Amino acid sequence: METLNARTGRRGREDPDVEAVLDDLYTTPPSDFVARRETLALAARTAGRADDARRIRAARRPTLAAWAANLLLRSQPEESRQFLELGRALREAYHALDAESLKDLSTQRRHVVSALSRQTAQLARDAGQRLSQPVQQDVEETLRAVLADPDAADQWASGRLVNALTPPSEFRPGNAPVAKKPGKRSRPASPSPARSSKDELAERRRARQEQLARAREAAEAAEERLREERARQADVDAELQRARKRTEQARRRMSAIEEQMQQAREKYRQAENAQQEAEEHSRSAADALAQAERAAHESAQQVRRMSRGGT
C-alpha cells in the first residue's frame, strides 16, 4: 500500500498526514464538524490528494458524548494512557479475584470514572460546549466500557469515536494472560494428586496477588494523576480569575481615559474655535487700524497743504 511519504516524494512537496488531519477533525465540535470536514476535503483535493479527500469526506460526525471522549483522549494523553492501563489490569484481574478485592477495585473504578467524566465536562466547556446530564451519562458509560471491554478500549484509543460506547454486562478479559499448564519437565517424576492441587492453588494465589497489585498500582497512579490535574486546573482557574480582574480594571481605566480624551477633544475644539474667532477679530482690527492710519495721513497732508497756501 502506498504511503503518504512515497506520494510526497513523488510530488516533490510536503503534504499533511491524512491521519493527523482526521485526528484533528475528530476533536472539532460536532456543530462545526461538517463544515470543517468539507474544508479539509477540499484542501486535500485541491492539493491533488484525491484518496485523502475521499477518506476525509467519508468521516462521520460524532455525537456530542463521543466528541467529548475524543477530546479527553487528545487533550490528556498521559492520563488517558494510564486509564487504558488501568482497564487492562482490571480485566486481567477481574475473574481471578475474590469478592472483597473486587469490591475495592469497583470503588476505585467508580472514583476514576467519575473524576475523568468531570474533567471531560470541563474540557468541553473550555471548548465552548456544555454537556447536558444525559450526555454526561453517555460519557461515563463510554469510560466504563473502556475499562471493561478491550474492543471498546481500542475504539477509544483511536481517538475517532462516532457514538458513545456501552459497557458489557461483565468484564471481558480480552488479551489477559492465560495460566500455562505445566509441561512434563516441570512435573515431578511421580507427582501426587494432593501435591499438584496444592501447587496449582498456590500458583493461582500468586497470580491473583500479582494481578491485584498491578490493578491497584494502575488505579492509584490514575487517581494521583487526577489529583494533580485537579490541582493544576484549580491553579489555572485562579489565574483566569486574576486575569479577568486585571482585564476589568484595565477596561475601567481605559473607559476613564477615553472619557478624559473626549473631554480634552471637546476643549480642544472650543479652544480652536475661540482661536479662529480671535484671529478674525485681529484681522478686522488690523484692517481698521490701517484705514485709520491712511485717513490720518491724508488729513495731515491736507493740513500741511492748507498751511502753505495761507502763508
Side-chain angles (χ1 to χ4, degrees), residues 135-150:
V135 172
Q136 189 78 19
Q137 290 175 353
D138 286 342
V139 171
E140 291 187 4
E141 288 287 286
T142 296
L143 293 175
R144 281 195 287 269
V146 170
L147 287 180
D149 186 355

Side-chain angles (χ1 to χ4, degrees), residues 27-195:
T27 58
T28 301
S31 58
D32 302 328
F33 184 89
V34 173
R36 177 67 173 160
R37 179 185 65 190
E38 296 308 308
T39 299
L40 294 172
L42 178 61
R45 183 171 293 279
T46 302
R49 297 181 286 116
D51 291 342
D52 292 351
R54 280 192 292 271
R55 285 194 61 192
I56 295 170
R57 188 162 282 117
R60 295 169 56 198
R61 183 176 65 176
T63 64
L64 189 57
W67 164 78
N70 293 333
L71 185 64
L72 172 66
L73 180 81
R74 299 298 180 191
S75 301
Q76 305 293 335
E78 179 59 24
E79 193 166 338
S80 299
R81 183 189 64 78
Q82 292 180 355
F83 188 68
L84 289 168
E85 289 179 356
L86 173 61
R88 281 192 292 269
L90 286 173
R91 291 191 297 273
E92 289 176 5
Y94 193 82
H95 293 285
L97 295 178
D98 54 36
E100 189 63 29
S101 298
L102 287 177
K103 182 179 179 180
D104 292 343
L105 285 179
S106 296
T107 301
Q108 289 180 325
R109 183 184 64 196
R110 285 194 298 271
H111 289 166
V112 172
V113 168
S114 177
L116 272 184
S117 176
R118 290 193 298 271
Q119 187 172 359
T120 303
Q122 182 61 51
L123 289 171
R125 282 194 295 272
D126 293 343
Q129 300 289 320
R130 186 171 294 276
L131 304 185
S132 65
Q133 186 61 32
V135 172
Q136 189 78 19
Q137 290 175 353
D138 286 342
V139 171
E140 291 187 4
E141 288 287 286
T142 296
L143 293 175
R144 281 195 287 269
V146 170
L147 287 180
D149 186 355
D151 293 335
D154 290 341
Q155 291 180 56
W156 182 59
S158 72
R160 300 177 192 174
L161 285 183
V162 175
N163 296 301
L165 301 175
T166 302
S169 57
E170 63 179 10
F171 268 60
R172 297 175 182 173
N175 57 356
V178 179
K180 295 182 180 179
K181 295 182 179 180
K184 292 182 178 180
R185 293 184 180 180
S186 62
R187 294 178 180 172
S190 300
S192 67
R195 179 60 180 271

Side-chain angles (χ1 to χ4, degrees), residues 126-267:
D126 293 343
Q129 300 289 320
R130 186 171 294 276
L131 304 185
S132 65
Q133 186 61 32
V135 172
Q136 189 78 19
Q137 290 175 353
D138 286 342
V139 171
E140 291 187 4
E141 288 287 286
T142 296
L143 293 175
R144 281 195 287 269
V146 170
L147 287 180
D149 186 355
D151 293 335
D154 290 341
Q155 291 180 56
W156 182 59
S158 72
R160 300 177 192 174
L161 285 183
V162 175
N163 296 301
L165 301 175
T166 302
S169 57
E170 63 179 10
F171 268 60
R172 297 175 182 173
N175 57 356
V178 179
K180 295 182 180 179
K181 295 182 179 180
K184 292 182 178 180
R185 293 184 180 180
S186 62
R187 294 178 180 172
S190 300
S192 67
R195 179 60 180 271
S196 296
S197 178
K198 289 181 179 179
D199 290 345
E200 186 176 351
L201 287 173
E203 181 63 28
R204 283 205 298 268
R205 279 196 294 269
R206 282 194 297 272
R208 283 199 301 269
Q209 292 302 320
E210 290 175 0
Q211 291 166 352
L212 178 58
R214 287 196 298 270
R216 284 176 172 166
E217 183 178 351
E220 290 172 0
E223 289 183 346
E224 177 63 24
R225 177 69 176 176
L226 286 173
R227 285 193 293 270
E228 292 175 357
E229 288 301 325
R230 281 195 292 267
R232 188 177 295 110
Q233 184 65 48
D235 291 341
V236 171
D237 290 343
E239 179 59 30
L240 176 60
Q241 291 301 322
R242 289 192 292 269
R244 286 174 174 170
K245 185 176 180 180
R246 290 194 296 270
T247 300
E248 179 62 20
Q249 292 173 345
R251 187 191 65 77
R252 291 176 181 175
R253 287 197 297 270
M254 182 179 296
S255 179
I257 292 172
E258 287 177 348
E259 184 176 353
Q260 292 174 358
M261 290 180 63
Q262 181 66 26
Q263 294 174 355
R265 281 193 291 266
E266 181 62 27
K267 291 180 178 179

Side-chain angles (χ1 to χ4, degrees), residues 3 24-25 59 77 100 112 151 233 258 265 269 273 277 281-283 286 294:
T3 64
D24 174 71
L25 178 60
E100 189 63 29
V112 172
D151 293 335
Q233 184 65 48
E258 287 177 348
R265 281 193 291 266
R269 283 194 294 269
N273 291 335
E277 291 178 0
H281 292 161
S282 176
R283 284 193 294 272
R294 286 196 297 272

Side-chain angles (χ1 to χ4, degrees), residues 271-288:
E272 193 175 44
N273 291 335
Q275 179 182 341
Q276 291 175 353
E277 291 178 0
E279 288 175 349
E280 290 177 359
H281 292 161
S282 176
R283 284 193 294 272
S284 297
D287 292 342

